């Protein structure tokens, strides 16, 4: 099947991640996760160098923070309320350390989602449709975990809509981290599937 030229970077990144989570992860030592991570970063940097979009437009930072704060507050409130309703709210150690790690991890995901998936999808479809296409592609990377796939789809629609107006990934990195922490505090591993995807989720 021919890949649309505007989607080549997106499909290349999808191929790297899906092949790792479904084929190589069970066979490689855990330290080999660096291989797909570096590969994806190289592809994203290559794309950014070609397009000139690095996802950190200064003028978009403050309005991006405002929009993201509203979205994040609503998401966190819903997550906490759901956790309270099912009785799985619980404490976790090392809040700050976990937050810092998740900001870096979430920032990387947001950079790929926005500067590659979203922009490729918008070029292939339209500005509005591209938001949903990018969100679906991002969520598909979290299959077959039904909880994580659903949560990332909802989150990605909001994050992409915000970035489309305010192209700066820094607020989104913080939002991603806070939402992930809220999930970890609100739900137990039976619900989250230990945030695993691919073969790791099936073999948990």
């Amino acid at each position: 099947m021919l890949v649309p030229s505007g989607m080549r970077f997106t499909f290349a990144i999808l191929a790297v991640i899906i092949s790792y989570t479904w084929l190589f992860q069970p066979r490689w030592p855990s330290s080999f996760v660096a291989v797909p991570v570096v590969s994806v970063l190289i592809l994203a940097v290559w794309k950014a160098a070609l397009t000139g979009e690095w996802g950190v437009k200064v003028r978009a930072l403050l309005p991006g923070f405002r929009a993201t704060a509203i979205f994040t507050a609503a998401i966190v409130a819903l997550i906490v309320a759901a956790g309270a309703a099912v009785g799985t709210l619980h404490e976790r150690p090392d809040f700050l350390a976990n937050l810092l790690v998740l900001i870096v991890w979430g920032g990387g995901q947001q950079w790929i989602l926005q500067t590659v998936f979203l922009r490729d999808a918008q070029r292939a479809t339209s500005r509005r449709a591209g938001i949903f296409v990018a969100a679906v592609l991002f969520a598909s990377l979290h299959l077959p975990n039904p909880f994580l796939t659903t949560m990332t789809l909802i989150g990605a629609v909001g994050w992409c809509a915000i970035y489309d107006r305010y192209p700066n990934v820094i607020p989104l990195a913080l939002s991603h981290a806070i939402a992930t922490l809220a999930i970890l505090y609100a739900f137990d591993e039976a619900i989250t599937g230990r945030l695993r995807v691919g073969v790791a989720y099936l073999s948990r």
Side-chain angles (χ1 to χ4, degrees):
M1 183 178 68
L2 293 176
V3 176
S5 59
M7 296 287 288
R8 285 177 182 168
F9 281 96
T10 291
F11 279 95
I13 289 173
L14 286 170
V16 170
I17 297 173
I18 291 171
S19 63
Y20 176 73
T21 56
W22 285 97
L23 181 61
F24 298 115
Q25 186 178 18
R27 296 171 173 81
W28 290 356
S30 58
S31 59
F32 274 52
V33 69
V35 174
V37 169
V38 171
S39 299
V40 168
L41 287 176
I42 289 172
L43 287 167
V45 169
W46 184 4
K47 172 78 184 302
L50 290 174
T51 63
E53 181 171 8
W54 295 91
V56 286
K57 190 173 182 179
V58 175
R59 291 183 179 179
L61 183 61
L62 290 180
F65 266 122
R66 287 193 293 267
T68 304
I70 295 170
F71 176 70
T72 307
I75 289 294
V76 169
L78 290 172
I79 291 171
V80 172
V86 299
T88 52
L89 285 175
H90 60 281
E91 294 290 332
R92 286 178 60 88
D94 300 325
F95 172 85
L96 185 58
N98 288 327
L99 178 63
L100 293 175
V101 170
L102 286 170
I103 288 173
V104 175
W105 181 242
Q109 291 187 56
Q110 288 298 324
W111 187 52
I112 302 300
L113 170 61
Q114 309 304 339
T115 65
V116 182
F117 286 19
L118 175 62
R119 292 314 192 202
D120 279 2
Q122 288 180 321
R123 290 187 185 95
T125 57
S126 67
R127 181 176 178 181
R128 180 172 294 182
I131 290 172
F132 295 96
V133 172
V136 168
L137 291 175
F138 184 68
S140 72
L141 294 174
H142 300 82
L143 290 169
N145 186 324
F147 174 85
L148 200 54
T149 302
T150 302
M151 294 300 293
T152 52
L153 177 60
I154 295 169
V157 169
W159 290 322
C160 288
I162 292 169
Y163 184 87
D164 180 57
R165 294 189 64 187
Y166 310 113
N168 193 307
V169 299
I170 295 174
L172 303 181
L174 184 58
S175 173
H176 194 132
I178 292 172
T180 303
L181 273 180
I183 288 171
L184 293 174
Y185 276 89
F187 302 111
D188 58 24
E189 292 181 349
I191 294 176
T192 66
R194 300 179 66 183
L195 302 186
R196 291 184 175 182
V197 301
V199 173
Y201 174 80
L202 297 176
S203 59
R204 73 190 194 286

